[in-house]
Amino acid sequence: MKNKRIYCDHNATTPIHKDVKALFKTALDIYGNASSLYLTGRQAKEELEQARETIASFIHANSDQLIFCSSGTEANNHVLNHFIAEKCVSKKPVHILASAIEHSSVLSTLENLKKYAIDYDLIPVDSNGHIKIDELKHLIKPHTKLASIMLANNEIGSIQDIKTLTKLCHEHNILFHCDGVQALGKIPIDVTQLDIDFMSFSAHKIYAPKGCGALYIKDEEVLSNLIHGGHQERGLRASTENIPGIIAFRKAIELLDVNRYSTHTSELCKRLIKKLNSLEPVFFNSSKTGLSNTLNISFPGCDGHALAMNCDLEGLDLSTGSACSVGSVEPSHVLTAIGLSNDLNKSSLRLSFGLSTSLADIDIIAEIIISTVTRLRSL
């Protein structure tokens, strides 16, 4: 086993940045309840609102359009589960559209909504993971209330033309939710320019601790509350706010440099692709115009899980699919959606890099993967 472990799964989660970690530790002393009227509570409230302003500004939103929650998964659930209340109140049919490559927090929630007689359809994508516009138009129904389409995919890195999609949906009076978890910090995000109604975010994808997320809401009048209790987050998300986590989230946002990130991770991926081309046959499944840090690669003649486990023994942390499906022997729904055969699907690895990944790391990663693939193919 190598002396140094190399982390290649930044799309699953990121190591906490040292400056974020330092501030988070200090923020643990800000223990007041932000709903309290006395000084200790007011201090917490001030930190809460400062963070809200910083994060909202980064995505070009107003501070009163952002609420904090526990995760991107919760944010996604909040938007989708709103339609249970709408269905029960209106007694009218409800239909939702989502892309075939959404995160499991969207797809699983949609499946659960069927218990409430809420119907949904999945929009097909092309071989690059981009929405098929004509198919989307065909799937729209008179009672379609929401479209949920992620900005950037966690497995293959494809980036959607959200502005075009929102325009189409709004022409049919369809609200638009966008999962922005993988996009934050990697590409520019302007919620006003994109004209979306909702967008979900997660702190632990941008070098902050787990347990904190956010939801952009263009107009809170169209969304019901998910958690009942107190009046926190303008009554939309009851529960005492996670002040240290929110402060850490703010610091992580302040440290983001999209151009630097893109330049650095693009160089890493190009270097690895060049080295792995010697393993022919090898297939690169990631979108060529997608996230700069993401590589999804199929190695025919190898089982992806066996390959990942052997790489683990050599000191590489990498994934065979999204983190939420680790341990599953089922093929990736994302790779299936872009037309990959089961054999190529099950022989795939996902590598995602970040600011802590170096060119020297890439050379070691390539060496380990090449030797491991060569050995497994000879068995």
Side-chain angles (χ1 to χ4, degrees):
M1 182 180 292
K2 304 295 181 182
N3 291 328
K4 175 191 174 184
R5 292 201 68 83
I6 300 177
Y7 188 69
C8 315
D9 207 14
H10 285 76
N11 285 5
T13 193
T14 54
I16 301 175
H17 190 284
K18 61 180 179 61
D19 294 343
V20 175
K21 185 182 296 185
L23 184 61
F24 179 71
K25 290 179 179 178
T26 302
L28 292 172
D29 291 328
I30 304 174
Y31 58 85
N33 187 322
S35 298
S36 302
L37 297 178
Y38 45 75
L39 178 61
T40 307
R42 295 199 306 273
Q43 290 172 336
K45 180 70 170 179
E46 183 178 349
E47 293 285 351
L48 172 67
E49 296 309 326
Q50 182 181 343
R52 196 190 312 277
E53 178 66 36
T54 298
I55 299 168
S57 177
F58 187 81
I59 61 170
H60 301 272
N62 298 323
S63 60
D64 62 359
Q65 294 177 310
L66 194 79
I67 67 169
F68 290 109
C69 56
S70 68
S71 64
T73 290
E74 183 190 317
N76 289 343
N77 271 258
H78 194 159
V79 175
L80 294 170
N81 282 320
H82 159 78
F83 292 91
I84 298 174
E86 178 161 323
K87 169 75 172 173
C88 292
V89 171
S90 71
K91 307 298 183 183
K92 295 178 180 178
V94 173
H95 176 249
I96 297 175
L97 289 171
S99 82
I101 60 171
E102 291 302 305
H103 188 268
S104 59
S105 60
V106 168
L107 298 180
S108 295
T109 303
L110 287 174
E111 190 63 22
N112 185 62
L113 291 181
K114 289 168 65 175
K115 296 191 300 187
Y116 301 91
I118 294 174
D119 189 22
Y120 76 89
D121 282 300
L122 298 182
I123 312 160
V125 295
D126 62 21
S127 59
N128 289 310
H130 296 139
I131 291 291
K132 293 183 177 180
I133 300 291
D134 289 341
E135 295 280 357
L136 168 58
K137 292 177 181 178
H138 177 72
L139 290 170
I140 292 174
K141 299 179 180 180
H143 54 287
T144 302
K145 302 295 185 183
L146 177 77
S148 183
I149 300 173
M150 58 176 27
L151 177 51
N153 183 263
N154 49 310
E155 290 193 44
I156 59 173
S158 53
I159 299 171
Q160 303 296 342
D161 181 2
I162 295 297
K163 189 173 182 179
T164 296
L165 297 172
T166 52
K167 183 176 185 295
L168 172 61
C169 289
H170 287 159
E171 287 172 351
H172 291 81
N173 296 314
I174 300 169
L175 292 170
F176 198 98
H177 166 247
C178 187
D179 180 341
V181 167
Q182 287 298 334
L184 186 63
K186 298 171 185 173
I187 59 175
I189 296 176
D190 185 333
V191 294
T192 303
Q193 190 266 342
L194 293 175
D195 196 25
I196 53 180
D197 299 290
F198 313 101
M199 188 172 243
S200 308
F201 302 102
S202 180
H204 78 96
K205 306 291 188 179
I206 59 166
Y207 307 94
K210 300 168 184 64
C212 187
L215 175 62
Y216 162 77
I217 308 166
K218 182 178 181 180
D219 179 5
E220 65 182 55
E221 294 299 319
V222 301
L223 189 68
S224 56
N225 55 326
L226 177 67
I227 300 176
H228 300 268
H231 298 283
Q232 294 89 355
E233 300 304 289
R234 296 190 302 284
L236 289 170
R237 203 275 185 182
S239 185
T240 302
E241 295 93 346
N242 173 10
I243 299 300
I246 290 169
I247 290 173
F249 195 179
R250 183 204 77 208
K251 183 63 176 179
I253 288 285
E254 291 173 343
L255 292 170
L256 291 178
D257 184 334
V258 172
N259 289 333
R260 177 184 168 223
Y261 184 94
S262 177
T263 300
H264 176 69
T265 55
S266 290
E267 187 176 3
L268 299 173
C269 286
K270 288 176 183 176
R271 189 181 186 101
L272 186 59
I273 289 171
K274 184 176 181 180
K275 288 180 174 291
L276 294 184
N277 272 323
S278 65
L279 277 173
E280 292 185 357
V282 58
F283 296 90
F284 297 94
N285 309 315
S286 309
S287 173
K288 294 179 176 60
T289 58
L291 294 177
S292 60
N293 79 316
T294 305
L295 283 179
N296 193 297
I297 315 167
S298 292
F299 302 92
C302 293
D303 175 80
H305 286 273
L307 181 53
M309 287 187 289
N310 277 269
C311 286
D312 177 32
L313 293 174
E314 292 295 324
L316 297 188
D317 296 329
L318 43 74
S319 173
T320 57
S322 67
C324 295
S325 63
V326 168
S328 170
V329 296
E330 295 299 315
S332 158
H333 72 282
V334 174
L335 297 184
T336 297
I338 65 172
L340 247 65
S341 67
N342 276 352
D343 285 344
L344 285 179
N345 196 322
K346 291 185 176 182
S347 68
S348 66
L349 292 179
R350 181 190 72 176
L351 298 95
S352 48
F353 307 120
L355 294 175
S356 59
T357 316
S358 69
L359 287 173
D361 289 335
I362 294 298
D363 291 340
I364 297 171
I365 292 166
E367 178 186 344
I368 292 173
I369 292 178
I370 290 170
S371 64
T372 305
V373 169
T374 302
R375 178 168 53 82
L376 291 178
R377 281 176 172 171
S378 68
L379 295 178

